[in-house]
Amino acid sequence: MSYLRMENLDLAAKRVLIREDLNVPVSAGRVTSDARIRAALPTIRTALEMGAAVMIMSHLGRPVEGEYDPQFSLQPVADRLGELLGRNVRLQKDWLDGVDVAPGDVVLCENVRFNPGEKANDETLARTMAGLCDIFVMDAFGTAHRAQASTEGITWHAPVACAGPLLAGELDALAKGLRDPARPMLAIVGGSKVSTKLTVLDTLLDKVDELIVGGGIANTFIAASGHNVGTSLYEPDLIHDAQLLIQKAHAGGGAIPIPKDVIVAKAFSDDAEPLVRKVNEVADDEMILDIGPLTAIEYSEIIAGAGTIIWNGPVGVFEFRNFADGTRAMAEAIERSSAYSIAGGGDTLAAIDQFGVTEDISYISTGGGAFLEFVEGKTLPAVAALEAVANR
Ligand code: ADP
Ligand code: MG
């Protein structure tokens, strides 16, 4: 199934309502990281150049639904967007009754989450939003895994609904990496919890040739292999599941490698003394905060041999300088590799930024949860709706 694409439609003099993910960090009324706004710029510029009357919707933070709260106002986003576009961007506080916008102009609609029924995907709200436009453009990949009024419900009622270039670009890049991957295909899944990523690991094992686990996830696998993990972050309840995954990997002729060595500390802090331990020599009062140097070399070699790399989740507490080396080694190995590489996830992107390898990742996904759901093989609800209306 396929969906309509904004670039293929005639937007001239049309009222075009674009859903973006402009949920950026704001401090003291200023946007502190505008990456998501910049990611949306090509879509907005294209619509304006095509002569559309452009209305933009987004959420910001988690306000109490139905209550205006200046803390969650999109005004700082309107200001920054205006600077980037080189034109005034008007923020409209109450917009469900109608938006006054001329072709070639752009209006930002105040936080969609101020509207009761947004999260519950209320049909009346979705119809009201749809009534504002001739064409609805879904461009918010980062929220495409949520079926809400402004991401999914509206699609069913808008006269025309299509994918914007940012959303379509994400889907194309992820599909390229996942459906027709150069082999061997490697997934690196790190971060803090097995529980939230366990279904991903299970599905990934069916798709990839190699799987490297890191971070708190690796700690659970280390424990599942019978080693002491001391006071490490890990999930004892999931040891059995980890064992099943190890067995599944073996049955498929592969393996989930367990780190040979790790970096431990006696406390979870920036200045804790880092100590290298063999994986079977972790003491009761020590916690694993990174992979060790031998393991970093071994994993770097696996990365060097991969044709496709999927990366979500740091392999250590990279925010602490003493425990950042493992994640840095992964980032630099991906930097050196000529494989097609895709990375996604909030903290993963922070790590990529920190280690200065942004330019060397083939594709950086703006989505965290949406990226993982796509990797799992799930159809994102907002995309499913776009496909359904395009084919009805
Ligand atoms: P992402 O946001 O990229 O999806 P996660 O949110 O799952 O990644 O995990 C990132 C967090 O995992 C980081 O804050 C990092 O400090 C933490 N982490 C990584 N390794 C460990 C570890 N060994 N012990 C505790 N926390 C860890
Ligand atoms: Mg995170």
Side-chain angles (χ1 to χ4, degrees), residues 20-26 29-31 33-34 36-37 56 58-60 72-84 89 91 108-110:
E20 292 291 357
D21 182 351
L22 304 179
N23 182 29
V24 293
V26 170
R30 296 283 302 169
V31 171
S33 168
D34 65 0
R36 280 184 165 148
I37 304 177
I56 304 170
S58 176
H59 68 287
L60 182 80
F72 295 105
S73 169
L74 282 171
Q75 187 60 55
V77 174
D79 295 343
R80 184 70 191 125
L81 181 59
E83 285 167 17
L84 290 166
V89 173
L91 177 74
L108 180 62
C109 302
E110 185 57 285

Side-chain angles (χ1 to χ4, degrees), residues 133-144:
C133 66
D134 302 312
I135 299 173
F136 169 62
V137 179
M138 174 57 188
D139 203 34
F141 177 76
T143 43

Side-chain angles (χ1 to χ4, degrees), residues 191-192 197 215-216 219 233 268 288-289 312-314 316-317 319 345-348:
S192 42
K197 295 181 182 178
N219 293 343
L233 169 77
F268 189 84
I288 302 169
L289 295 180
N312 171 257
V317 184
E319 299 94 331
D347 294 291
T348 307

